[in-house]
Amino acid sequence: MISIQHLSKSYTSKEEIVVGVDDVSLEIQGGEMFGVVGYSGAGKSTLLRCMNILERPTSGKVTVDGIDLMSLSSKELREARQSIGMIFQGFHLAMSKTVVENVSFALKASGVGRIERKERAEELLNLVGLSDKANHYPAQLSGGQKQRVSIARALANNPKVLLCDEATSALDPNTTQSILQLLKKINHELGLTIVLITHEMEVVKEICHRCAVMEDGKVIEEGNTYDIFAAPKHQVTQKFIQTVLDFTIPEVLLEKCKGTIVKMKFTGESAEEAVVSDLLQEHNIRGNILHGKVDYIQEQPLGTFVMELTGDEHEVRQALQSLHTTLAEVEVLKDGRSVGSIMA
């Protein structure tokens, strides 16, 4: 659906050339929800704006639904953009127009008749749950309601792609959840390809099938969202994952515990099996859970537990070896003598 090949975007100032996007290649499949995550200045918003040529790339190729956008004339590009909806962090609504007029405006610009515009706008407001706000003005709406109007407007011309630039970063957590569920509903019911730019890994975890992590204009890691969470490879990705799955154990607790403290990551089927309880019985050792959580990413379980193991030293070592061969990751935080790690 969206093919980005060796795309770069640079800006020339009086003193230097600033690179916003640096040789990025991505393939985004039709009907998927794809997240691009990165810290401020990573280049993710510039990349998104290059996807519909709001920012013209310095080099590279952007193909959407088989059309090479870089090769189009200005008129052809305007027509192609009708199949690419876009929503922004700042909503970008016309404050002097009612909700239904804001949604209708995109249809009017496309030459749709008045009666058909009204019917389509009402249909979209029903889809986003704002039928009762049709004649309100943006100033009368909450932030979440304004974003729903923006989404309805972006869907007006039946786009095949929806680009979302930090669509939830200005919203509170509860409102963010409602907008994410709406985007999930739109993806499922309309089959839209959705590209979501964000600096919040929680957003990616919630709805994205696949994701890419950016730093300094480059994609440093890309893959299935579950795989990225289960085994992040780059240090920046690991920091992002920590914001969602943080299992930092206070030093004072480590000092108090006398046994071996181990952090275990359970993926796939192992997250649903009684791996630890079976192990404790087999080796006749005791386990004290210090921290634990199971998250569901794309409906697949991902568990992380921190446990103190006590008992015969030889049996504890045997248990650790068994864990090492069974689980995705085993890290010894403290064994009474040293700190080390065992990675699968």
Side-chain angles (χ1 to χ4, degrees):
M1 169 55 77
I2 302 175
S3 177
I4 299 169
Q5 299 175 27
H6 301 291
L7 188 143
S8 294
K9 174 63 180 178
S10 59
Y11 305 89
T12 303
S13 68
K14 292 182 179 180
E15 299 179 353
E16 61 180 345
I17 296 176
V18 178
V19 178
V21 178
D22 189 0
D23 193 26
V24 167
S25 295
L26 289 173
E27 296 293 331
I28 300 172
Q29 304 303 315
E32 78 172 338
M33 301 188 74
F34 190 93
V36 180
V37 64
Y39 292 112
S40 296
K44 55 191 186 297
S45 290
T46 301
L47 174 64
L48 189 79
R49 292 171 67 84
C50 285
M51 288 185 191
N52 61 0
I53 319 300
L54 283 177
E55 295 270 5
R56 181 162 286 274
T58 305
S59 61
K61 187 175 182 180
V62 180
T63 304
V64 178
D65 197 24
I67 299 174
D68 180 2
L69 299 186
M70 295 283 285
S71 68
L72 302 181
S73 66
S74 297
K75 180 182 178 182
E76 291 170 334
L77 184 56
R78 285 195 297 272
E79 292 174 352
R81 284 192 183 125
Q82 291 183 16
S83 67
I84 307 172
M86 190 161 184
I87 60 176
F88 306 87
Q89 175 183 348
F91 316 129
H92 291 198
L93 301 177
M95 302 303 288
S96 61
K97 295 183 182 296
T98 64
V99 165
V100 71
E101 288 171 341
N102 266 279
V103 177
S104 299
F105 181 76
L107 294 164
K108 184 177 181 180
S110 301
V112 178
R114 182 176 61 84
I115 295 177
E116 188 178 345
R117 289 201 306 267
K118 185 174 183 297
E119 291 176 350
R120 176 63 175 158
E122 290 175 347
E123 174 189 344
L124 289 168
L125 290 177
N126 181 60
L127 175 67
V128 301
L130 287 180
S131 296
D132 59 334
K133 304 294 183 183
N135 296 314
H136 285 59
Y137 288 89
Q140 297 173 288
L141 304 179
S142 67
Q145 290 169 335
K146 290 176 184 176
Q147 194 59 284
R148 286 173 181 269
V149 177
S150 296
I151 293 171
R153 182 184 58 188
L155 297 175
N157 288 301
N158 292 303
K160 297 178 181 180
V161 175
L162 185 61
L163 305 180
C164 308
D165 191 5
E166 298 280 9
T168 61
S169 61
L171 307 176
D172 64 73
N174 287 337
T175 306
T176 291
Q177 276 297 314
S178 70
I179 294 298
L180 293 180
Q181 291 309 309
L182 175 59
L183 291 175
K184 202 170 184 178
K185 172 185 175 183
I186 289 169
N187 170 256
H188 178 71
E189 294 185 2
L190 304 183
L192 261 68
T193 303
I194 298 180
V195 181
L196 190 67
I197 297 296
T198 182
H199 62 272
E200 301 170 291
M201 205 66 185
E202 181 68 43
V203 169
V204 173
K205 168 181 169 288
E206 192 70 29
I207 64 172
C208 294
H209 303 124
R210 294 193 303 125
C211 66
V213 182
M214 290 189 70
E215 182 185 37
D216 295 331
K218 295 178 179 291
V219 170
I220 57 173
E221 194 159 352
E222 175 197 355
N224 179 282
T225 300
Y226 184 90
D227 294 336
I228 293 288
F229 270 81
K233 295 178 176 61
H234 197 279
Q235 185 178 8
V236 170
T237 311
Q238 292 168 5
K239 288 182 179 179
F240 271 113
I241 300 299
Q242 260 193 343
T243 65
V244 180
L245 309 177
D246 186 12
F247 282 87
T248 302
I249 304 299
E251 284 294 329
V252 63
L253 183 58
L254 292 176
E255 292 172 1
K256 287 182 178 180
C257 292
K258 303 302 182 183
T260 297
I261 301 176
V262 58
K263 183 168 76 171
M264 299 164 283
K265 185 175 289 183
F266 298 76
T267 60
E269 293 181 357
S270 68
E272 298 176 321
E273 297 174 350
V275 174
V276 174
S277 62
D278 290 346
L279 196 72
L280 296 178
Q281 292 182 37
E282 179 183 347
H283 293 279
N284 193 29
I285 58 177
R286 297 180 61 189
N288 176 30
I289 294 178
L290 305 176
H291 207 332
K293 184 181 182 184
V294 177
D295 285 277
Y296 285 85
I297 302 169
Q298 298 301 310
E299 300 181 353
Q300 297 182 71
L302 175 63
T304 307
F305 289 85
V306 178
M307 178 176 288
E308 180 187 19
L309 302 178
T310 56
D312 179 80
E313 183 177 327
H314 175 73
E315 290 297 324
V316 170
R317 296 298 171 200
Q318 289 294 314
L320 286 174
Q321 188 59 45
S322 296
L323 288 172
H324 169 58
T325 58
T326 304
L327 303 181
E329 180 181 324
V330 179
E331 180 181 0
V332 177
L333 303 179
K334 177 186 176 183
D335 67 4
R337 296 175 299 173
S338 62
V339 177
S341 64
I342 307 172
M343 304 291 287

